[in-house]
Amino acid sequence: MYAQALDQPEGPREGGGADAAALEARFLARVAGEQKVEPKDWMPERYRRTLIRQISQHAHSEIVGMLPEGNWITRAPTLKRKAILMAKVQDEGGHGAYLYAAAETLGAAREDLVEQLLSGAAKYSSIFNYPTPTWADVGAIGWLVDGAAIMNQIPLCRCSYGPYARAMVRICKEESFHQRQGFEIMLTLARGSPEQRRMAQAALDRWWWPSLMMFGPGDADSKHTADSVRWKIKRFTNDELRQKFVDFTVPQARYLGLTIPDPQLRWDEAAGHYRFGAIDWAEFNEVLRGNGPCNRERLEARRAAHESGRWVREAAAAYARKQRARASAAAA
Amino acid sequence: MSDPRWPLWEVFIRPRAGLEHKHAGSVHATDARMALEHARDLYTRRGEGVSLWVVRSSDIVASDPAEADALFEPARDKVYRHPTFYDIPDEVKTL
């Protein structure tokens, strides 16, 4: 669903003599010329590791992202909403699968990536550690969380690594439905009874600030290296994308007749942007550290799902072994 | 017991009759039938195709990117293989 703060630097530069330097220079020239990198092409080891980490964390986010909304599938208010929500949650699972496949083209094994998620070693988007206490939260997630995700993901469609860029193209096409269905839920509530309007407002109050945090730390504090920019993985800074999101979303909230929970929010005519209040980064860091409202619950749910599916995976493998043995016996 | 690792399959989709199958992505599956089912679930949720191929990734033989110049460079200077190379007077029609 989105790639937040997934661009921290890692490890020292790899060694290597003149050959490696020449290969790296040629690689950088190709990337600077907007040529795509494909799986079997030579690439710097740090480029490979950065991408495996970013793509797999992005995949984990999609998978964990199924949980907050999955919470409402059995309680969706109508059959239509239920069918839509199932399709959306299924899409998120699909997005995770596209992304794991892209990470695998870099030499990572899917089982290892999944293990990193389940053991708590890998990060995923902190937004999914917030609860969804009402139906309006499902609307707010589609509208705001998927909206912020799209803002982050559209530039990734032009990322230098071919398989990641192609996965993002497919994902962005599907996310558009997610955002629109979310806005439609909010619109229905906003046009409903006073109680429904209160529900919509409360959901906006809950999701606004966490959505702004999805873009990661401010540029001054961002740990992203120049490398991600030079490698054409990252094309806009966190603050640029966050500003764009605010500029797009404030008029949408106004249309809904809802109030953005930020008393400092104001239109800056000269700059042509909405100015917004300070983000509580202490909260962001706490959630990232594992102390958000639902961190433990999310990981436990993933572990339980993985464990209860184990017998199916084992049975499928045993069946395939048996079929192969039969085929070779018949051939003999 | 650790999970058995499932083989990787490449997925190709024919968007509609009359078009060729095109690479869409990959799936893990224990056998061909499961690979088709996973490919169907993962890559055709919005009517993307009317036919699927799945091929074991390990069965694909690929050219080496390091040999790309040797393989494909020779085609680059043979512009006479393209129709636009030839100057034909405007008066001559249907050529």
Side-chain angles (χ1 to χ4, degrees):
Chain A
M1 176 172 292
Y2 109 108
Q4 157 220 293
L6 304 179
D7 49 4
Q8 283 96 349
E10 182 189 285
R13 230 163 244 277
E14 65 245 57
D19 278 1
L23 282 168
E24 180 148 0
R26 203 164 65 182
F27 171 86
L28 287 173
R30 284 187 55 200
V31 168
E34 295 293 344
Q35 287 190 53
K36 297 293 179 194
V37 181
E38 293 295 342
K40 289 189 159 184
D41 294 340
W42 186 91
M43 61 186 86
E45 195 48 36
R46 280 156 42 250
Y47 176 84
R48 180 189 304 276
R49 283 200 308 261
T50 298
L51 276 171
I52 289 176
R53 190 179 56 255
Q54 174 166 337
I55 299 172
S56 63
Q57 291 182 2
H58 196 163
H60 301 330
S61 303
E62 300 282 355
I63 299 299
V64 177
M66 297 165 82
L67 297 170
E69 292 172 291
N71 179 34
W72 279 92
I73 288 178
T74 56
R75 293 174 291 157
T78 66
L79 189 57
K80 181 185 99 173
R81 293 290 183 200
K82 183 175 187 161
I84 292 170
L85 188 55
M86 281 199 292
K88 179 180 191 294
V89 172
Q90 190 192 13
D91 273 354
E92 310 295 3
H95 297 176
Y98 305 154
L99 288 163
Y100 283 129
E104 284 177 289
T105 64
L106 292 157
R110 176 164 328 198
E111 292 83 353
D112 295 338
L113 300 177
V114 170
E115 183 48 40
Q116 287 166 12
L117 169 66
L118 298 179
S119 72
K123 285 199 171 70
Y124 57 88
S125 175
S126 57
I127 192 87
F128 302 117
N129 292 315
Y130 290 88
T132 45
T134 74
W135 172 251
D137 293 274
V138 175
I141 287 180
W143 172 38
L144 300 173
V145 176
D146 289 290
I150 291 170
M151 210 61 89
N152 257 319
Q153 290 177 160
I154 283 179
L156 287 172
C157 295
R158 294 190 292 128
C159 153
S160 60
Y161 188 58
Y164 192 24
R166 290 192 288 276
M168 291 317 307
V169 168
R170 194 180 283 273
I171 289 172
C172 283
K173 279 186 195 162
E174 299 183 356
E175 290 283 0
S176 176
F177 134 59
H178 298 180
Q179 191 188 16
R180 290 170 67 109
Q181 67 86 37
F183 187 81
E184 199 202 59
I185 290 173
M186 295 301 280
L187 190 60
T188 306
L189 292 170
R191 287 176 174 168
S193 65
E195 195 187 349
Q196 285 174 312
R197 276 198 296 281
R198 274 198 300 277
M199 231 169 91
Q201 180 64 53
L204 171 57
D205 293 347
R206 276 192 288 278
W207 291 94
W208 175 252
W209 289 108
S211 296
L212 294 196
M213 293 174 199
M214 282 178 66
F215 295 93
D219 295 348
D221 306 309
S222 177
K223 279 182 272 181
H224 82 254
T225 55
D227 280 340
S228 276
V229 175
R230 207 157 46 109
W231 288 333
K232 306 236 182 241
I233 296 172
K234 195 180 178 86
R235 289 178 183 268
F236 298 98
T237 70
N238 296 350
D239 283 335
E240 282 168 349
L241 291 168
R242 184 165 20 243
Q243 182 65 58
K244 202 167 161 192
F245 175 74
V246 172
D247 289 342
F248 278 24
T249 311
V250 171
Q252 294 166 359
R254 187 168 304 136
Y255 184 85
L256 293 171
L258 301 177
T259 308
I260 303 271
D262 178 357
Q264 284 167 278
L265 187 77
R266 63 176 178 87
W267 174 248
D268 181 341
E269 183 67 46
H273 290 299
Y274 285 96
R275 297 296 174 207
F276 50 95
I279 293 171
D280 180 1
W281 291 112
E283 174 185 325
F284 175 78
N285 288 324
E286 269 306 289
V287 178
L288 214 57
R289 263 197 291 272
N291 301 321
C294 301
N295 294 56
R296 276 170 208 88
E297 187 185 329
R298 299 293 184 233
L299 267 192
E300 273 162 24
R302 285 313 313 158
R303 285 184 195 128
H306 193 73
E307 279 313 308
S308 57
R310 183 179 294 281
W311 72 271
V312 179
R313 297 192 294 277
E314 286 172 358
Y319 179 75
R321 269 197 306 278
K322 195 171 76 178
Q323 294 298 104
R324 273 197 302 277
R326 273 195 194 150
S328 54
Chain B
M1 163 183 160
S2 74
D3 272 322
R5 307 211 155 185
W6 291 2
L8 193 64
W9 304 70
E10 298 304 317
V11 178
F12 299 81
I13 303 178
R14 186 199 294 285
R16 57 177 193 273
L19 297 179
E20 56 273 76
H21 286 77
K22 197 177 157 204
H23 186 244
S26 48
V27 293
H28 285 270
T30 53
D31 60 26
R33 193 176 138 195
M34 189 197 279
L36 274 178
E37 285 169 2
H38 284 181
R40 179 257 183 202
D41 286 347
L42 192 56
Y43 292 106
T44 66
R45 292 197 301 280
R46 287 172 171 78
E48 286 90 340
V50 295
S51 163
L52 285 169
W53 288 351
V54 290
V55 183
R56 278 284 292 264
S57 306
S58 56
D59 287 341
I60 290 181
V61 181
S63 65
D64 181 352
E67 289 171 7
D69 282 350
L71 287 173
F72 307 115
E73 180 88 312
R76 234 170 267 160
D77 59 3
K78 294 177 181 59
V79 284
Y80 45 85
R81 282 182 169 146
H82 298 279
T84 46
F85 178 72
Y86 301 93
D87 284 328
I88 306 289
D90 289 348
E91 305 90 278
V92 182
K93 301 296 176 195
T94 67
L95 199 69

